[in-house]
Amino acid sequence: MPESTTAAAPPGGGPPAFEAPAMSKRQVWTVLIGLMLALLLAALDQTVVSTALFTIVKDLDPVHGLSQISWVVTVYLLAVTASMPLYGKISDLYGRKPVLIFALVLFLAGSALCGLASGMGSLILFRTIQGLGAGGMMSLVMAIIADMIPPRERGRYSGLGVAVMAVASVAGPFAGGFFTEAHTLFAVTTSWRWAFWINLPIGLFALVVVTAVLTLPVRRRGHRIDFLGAALIVGAVCATLLVTVWGGNLYDWASTQIVSLAVAAVLLFVAFFWWESKASEPIFPPRLFRLPVFRTASVLLFIIGFAMMGSIVYITLYLQLADGLSPTSAGLHLMPMTVGMAIASIVAGRLVSKFGKYKVFPIVGTGLAAIAMGLMSLLAPDTSATTLSLYLVLLGLGLGQVMGIPQLAVQNSVDPGDMGSATSATSFTRAMGQSFGAAAFGAILTARLAVNMPAGIPGIGANGAPNVAQVRALPAALQTEVVDAFVKSADTVFQVTAAVLVVAFVMALLLKELPLRKRAGAK
């Protein structure tokens, strides 16, 4: 379907006002299916290789591949996070439909090439291409929903995005393990390559739907891409993520490499925000930071992303060490949290649409999540699976209410011409929170393990988490001591996470509630 006519700039300048063209309910749901599939694929591929990495190395480069193994995950994360702000701004200038189509095509090309990779070097390169496409898919889906649906009605649809992300966090490792285990599907024996090739039919369906059905307004504006700002933010993000990935693992936290990267990240972020105040078409328009809702919601989402790294990662490791589960089984045991998040996000979204109020949900959600993490800090090696599942349900019910609502509040408060920049900014701050959370909680766990770990077991827990294979190779008595030490240390991580969520609760109280607009693309 062709896109609608151009929107005119309002008197007095600024981003042009526009109204999204009317779409039938059937068209809306058809487009939503395509958008949710795109979001699912982008989120799945963040974790789909986690259970297949060693099989990939054994197949592609068993001699030297282990030294490159972390890059298969890292380059995807770097590409996704660094490209988010750029897609948001470019879509504000050129329209979201063509930019999303470009991102989908890039992701599908990267997926196909990953499945054909003949070595670790080519796989890493193709994962970068795939991640650059996924960054656009993850940042533009919610912006497109904002263009199609008025804020007053948007809650019942945007909650689906949170549910999809929750499902992807569990389904990714499971799918990677499933395909790697050489199952037979349609008379074809699967391998790790199918973890990438499965994206093609699903992604092509999403591409056809978006191309054929999606109708969005076209905005004609003076186009000038802020290339210097783009280079600064990409450099800052890459430096930050390398600190969080390498720190405590490849290099010591106090090493020259990590300290230099941290300093570079700070300087690049300072330079970026200084330059944004001068650029004619900034990646993040400074006017966004003058909006109280944007400022509060961005901080809230950063804290939520930060806190999530203190829950999901270390709960999974707890299940592997304390309960002896495989990584795939441990991921499946997070299902109660996933179900809780999906239910809470969908119900909260529908209630927002029904009553037109959104502030109560982040308040209740952060409160429930803080209580759940406080209960998690009481975990012991003999804690029953039923008790842990109840804690996880409570955590999911809390997180589900706070993952999508702050973004809805931001979309409701900004000018339509800034919708892409504002939406990608919220996704970006949450992703950066997750990166900082990974670094901070890894450092906390390492410090506590140094105190709690029994003497004479070198290397166990030295880099932030015990190596499960190493622990299983120890005599039974030592295994018990190591697991006890890890549980005590993880309890500290959970306590800090609960405290961080209390800060998020305070930020939720400060979130300003504005009347939800009843027209899409209008303010």
Side-chain angles (χ1 to χ4, degrees), residues 249-275:
N249 292 304
L250 189 59
Y251 301 106
D252 185 78
W253 285 108
S255 67
T256 302
Q257 292 88 343
I258 297 301
V259 172
S260 298
L261 282 170
V263 171
V266 171
L267 292 177
L268 286 167
F269 271 120
V270 170
F272 170 73
F273 285 109
W274 173 81
W275 174 251

Side-chain angles (χ1 to χ4, degrees), residues 370-386:
I371 292 171
M373 291 310 301
L375 293 171
M376 289 281 187
S377 70
L378 303 177
L379 289 176
D382 59 351
T383 300
S384 70
T386 301

Side-chain angles (χ1 to χ4, degrees), residues 55-63 65 114 116-123 192-193:
T55 302
I56 292 173
V57 168
K58 183 179 178 181
D59 187 23
L60 295 182
D61 190 353
V63 178
C114 284
L116 296 170
S118 58
M120 291 296 292
S122 60
L123 178 61
W192 62 266
R193 298 179 186 275

Side-chain angles (χ1 to χ4, degrees), residues 30-49:
T30 302
V31 170
L32 279 172
I33 291 171
L35 293 177
M36 290 302 106
L37 287 175
L39 184 62
L40 176 66
L41 292 179
L44 275 175
D45 274 71
Q46 288 183 313
T47 57
V48 73
V49 298

Side-chain angles (χ1 to χ4, degrees), residues 300 303-304 360-372 397-399 401-402 498 501-509:
L300 177 57
I303 296 172
I304 291 300
V360 64
F361 298 104
I363 294 173
V364 174
T366 52
L368 288 177
I371 292 171
L397 291 174
L399 292 176
Q401 294 183 67
V402 75
L501 286 166
V502 170
V503 177
F505 176 79
V506 174
M507 294 304 302
L509 291 173

